[in-house]
Amino acid sequence: AQSVTQPDIHITVSEGASLELRCNYSYGATPYLFWYVQSPGQGLQLLLKYFSGDTLVQGIKGFEAEFKRSQSSFNLRKPSVHWSDAAEYFCAVGARSGNTGKLIFGQGTTLQVKP
Amino acid sequence: KAGVTQTPRYLIKTRGQQVTLSCSPISGHRSVSWYQQTPGQGLQFLFEYFSETQRNKGNFPGRFSGRQFSNSRSEMNVSTLELGDSALYLCASSFGGASGYNEQFFGPGTRLTVL
């Protein structure tokens, strides 16, 4: 079955510290991979995406993610966290053809930033 | 360019009633997808409409239905509301090609509370 797992429900980091959010997926073939962020009361904003090529992708707000096919992982990283990064982060996968309108999301990781 | 808009933003209904939510996609986008977000189940795909036709459907009971109009605006309807239908309903729009990458842009959501 297709699924996305974000093992960490809640993470707390100090401002200025580095961050890594984990994401593992189960899918028939290599899907499109996404990270979204959701602030309270808001919709989802796309941080970055992977669909081919370089396995290290850069996104907005200083985020990057690395696709590792052998581990079926797509972990999100940021070298130095800012207080404004506190939000909920979702990893998602999407089909390359056919069901292109359907994203499968992980359960989300809530990031808290300590001053 | 205006983003995805959803109306209303907040809604309170009682069990047994029905509700209609509206989504206006970004101009030029022909695909609208709907998602339900709850604390327990996370983000789950409801259905996708493309060119007025339902193209994909998630695992929800028949009480959940939708439609899309010729201007790509979409509505979703939930009949015979249950307490468990309380959720944030998000819609996302994209150009909607059958293959290749279609970035989905999310609206702010409609918060439905069922009493």
Side-chain angles (χ1 to χ4, degrees), chain B:
Chain B
K1 203 174 191 182
V4 178
T5 58
Q6 292 186 246
T7 56
R9 292 293 311 277
Y10 302 91
L11 207 47
I12 300 175
K13 293 285 188 179
T14 56
R15 277 180 298 174
Q17 287 186 310
Q18 75 162 12
V19 67
T20 299
L21 312 182
S22 180
C23 173
S24 293
I26 291 171
S27 177
H29 285 186
R30 295 166 65 193
S31 167
V32 173
S33 297
W34 289 89
Y35 294 84
Q36 181 196 63
Q37 185 177 20
T38 60
Q41 299 298 316
L43 277 153
Q44 293 185 287
F45 173 78
L46 279 155
F47 29 64
E48 179 203 8
Y49 285 86
F50 178 78
S51 292
E52 302 178 65
T53 302
Q54 188 180 85
R55 186 161 72 171
N56 291 298
K57 189 176 188 307
N59 263 349
F60 279 82
R63 301 186 296 107
F64 292 82
S65 62
R67 59 178 176 167
Q68 187 179 35
F69 302 95
S70 58
N71 61 358
S72 294
R73 190 177 69 86
S74 177
E75 290 181 346
M76 67 163 281
N77 184 275
V78 188
S79 62
T80 320
L81 283 166
E82 300 176 0
L83 294 179
D85 297 332
S86 294
L88 181 68
Y89 290 88
L90 293 164
C91 87
S93 77
S94 71
F95 285 110
S99 64
Y101 174 58
N102 283 285
E103 179 174 345
Q104 293 197 31
F105 294 83
F106 283 82
T110 294
R111 172 73 63 185
L112 171 64
T113 301
V114 182
L115 303 176

Side-chain angles (χ1 to χ4, degrees), chain A residues 8-109:
Chain A
D8 305 304
I9 296 172
H10 192 108
I11 282 185
T12 300
V13 300
S14 297
E15 191 168 15
S18 63
L19 170 71
E20 182 170 30
L21 302 183
R22 296 181 290 164
C23 172
N24 293 93
Y25 66 89
S26 173
Y27 208 83
T30 301
Y32 289 136
L33 297 157
F34 308 90
W35 275 98
Y36 285 88
V37 61
Q38 184 178 37
S39 298
Q42 304 290 316
L44 300 174
Q45 181 183 22
L46 181 66
L47 282 176
L48 47 76
K49 58 190 180 284
Y50 171 81
F51 48 94
S52 66
D54 193 346
T55 56
L56 185 64
V57 293
Q58 303 297 320
I60 62 171
K61 304 185 181 188
F63 285 92
E64 66 178 27
E66 186 173 13
F67 167 57
K68 293 185 177 179
R69 186 190 305 273
S70 61
Q71 298 176 20
S72 296
S73 70
F74 189 55
N75 294 348
L76 182 71
R77 301 194 292 248
K78 186 169 185 178
S80 177
V81 169
H82 188 262
W83 64 266
S84 61
D85 293 324
E88 191 160 18
Y89 292 80
F90 293 92
C91 180
V93 300
R96 289 178 175 267
S97 63
N99 293 336
T100 58
K102 175 182 179 180
L103 295 177
I104 299 171
F105 287 88
Q107 284 293 97
T109 298

